[in-house]
Amino acid sequence: MVEALRAIVWGGASCAVLDGLAASVQFGLKGIKPLHVWQGVASGLLGERAFREGWLSGGIGLLLHFAIAFSVAAVFV
């Protein structure tokens, strides 16, 4: 059980960090700020309001990104 939990934590964390970094860089090369990227993720939950909430909704988007990554890692394990 401990090994599975370790795999989920490492897999989820590495997936979230690497994918989040890749998304931020790729969109950044197109002139889109990282805040807007993470607000876009939050808009799946908050709707259009996410783009008016600043870093609050950007943080929610980042948390959602990590939650999804850990969920996928858990399913995979």
Side-chain angles (χ1 to χ4, degrees):
M1 184 67 172
V2 174
E3 294 296 322
L5 186 58
R6 183 176 296 142
I8 292 169
V9 169
W10 279 103
S14 61
C15 174
V17 169
L18 292 173
D19 183 55
L21 191 61
S24 294
V25 169
Q26 284 181 323
F27 282 107
L29 291 173
K30 295 180 180 185
I32 300 171
K33 296 180 181 181
L35 172 61
H36 199 72
V37 172
W38 300 116
Q39 286 175 327
V41 175
S43 72
L45 183 65
L46 303 175
E48 188 66 29
R49 189 181 93 197
F51 296 102
R52 296 186 301 266
E53 298 292 326
W55 274 105
L56 176 64
S57 61
I60 291 171
L62 197 55
L63 286 174
L64 285 172
H65 178 73
F66 271 80
I68 292 166
F70 280 105
S71 298
V72 169
V75 169
F76 184 77
V77 171

